Amino acid sequence: MSKLLFSLRNVPDDEAEDIRMILKENNIDFYETPPGNWGISMPAIWVRDALQFNQANDLVNDYQGKRAITQRQIYEKLIKEGKVPGFFDYLHQNFYRFLIHILAVGLIIYVSIKLILEFGL
């Protein structure tokens, strides 16, 4: 019976490709389910043979541990170089989107308070 090995939801393409290569290199029989037309299905990598699942799981955990370290190093390097955008950088790049979101939140709060006060009287 197949077992879920790795969910592909919100996973970068390079990480998913690395997982596929690791499984192929170790001759682990797997298949992949796509997210579907509307993205509501679960995109994932499944191992067909339950006996190979533990080996595959160990390989994926080892890979993710190494990837976490390298990604953290890359992020720290970008911070030192000043290339990681902050809140004000986001605000500067997306000012109108930010303004629309603030106005929408304000409108929702206003309508909510107005309804509560009208029903309370």
Side-chain angles (χ1 to χ4, degrees), residues 86-111:
F87 174 73
F88 291 108
D89 295 324
Y90 170 79
L91 183 62
H92 180 70
Q93 292 173 355
N94 302 300
F95 179 73
Y96 292 112
R97 177 187 287 178
F98 179 77
L99 185 64
I100 290 170
H101 287 156
I102 292 296
L103 292 174
V105 168
L107 179 66
I108 291 169
I109 291 171
Y110 171 76
V111 170

Side-chain angles (χ1 to χ4, degrees), residues 6-119:
F6 190 75
S7 175
L8 294 173
R9 193 171 306 278
N10 300 322
V11 172
D13 291 336
D14 65 323
E15 183 177 4
E17 189 58 38
D18 288 345
I19 296 293
R20 289 183 200 105
M21 283 181 21
I22 289 170
L23 295 174
K24 287 177 186 174
E25 287 172 358
N26 289 283
N27 297 321
I28 295 175
D29 189 23
F30 71 95
Y31 65 96
E32 197 171 325
T33 52
N37 293 335
W38 297 304
I40 57 175
S41 299
M42 186 167 85
I45 294 177
W46 301 76
V47 175
R48 292 184 196 273
D49 186 7
L51 299 174
Q52 290 182 326
F53 178 77
N54 290 334
Q55 178 191 5
N57 196 28
D58 291 341
L59 290 168
V60 169
N61 288 339
D62 184 49
Y63 167 76
Q64 286 187 318
K66 291 175 185 174
R67 183 177 172 90
I69 292 169
T70 58
Q71 291 299 313
R72 192 173 299 118
Q73 290 170 347
I74 292 169
Y75 180 69
E76 289 171 358
K77 180 183 174 192
L78 290 174
I79 287 175
K80 287 179 184 175
E81 294 173 356
K83 294 182 180 178
V84 176
F87 174 73
F88 291 108
D89 295 324
Y90 170 79
L91 183 62
H92 180 70
Q93 292 173 355
N94 302 300
F95 179 73
Y96 292 112
R97 177 187 287 178
F98 179 77
L99 185 64
I100 290 170
H101 287 156
I102 292 296
L103 292 174
V105 168
L107 179 66
I108 291 169
I109 291 171
Y110 171 76
V111 170
S112 299
I113 292 173
K114 182 91 169 143
L115 287 174
I116 291 171
L117 292 177
E118 284 182 7
F119 284 131

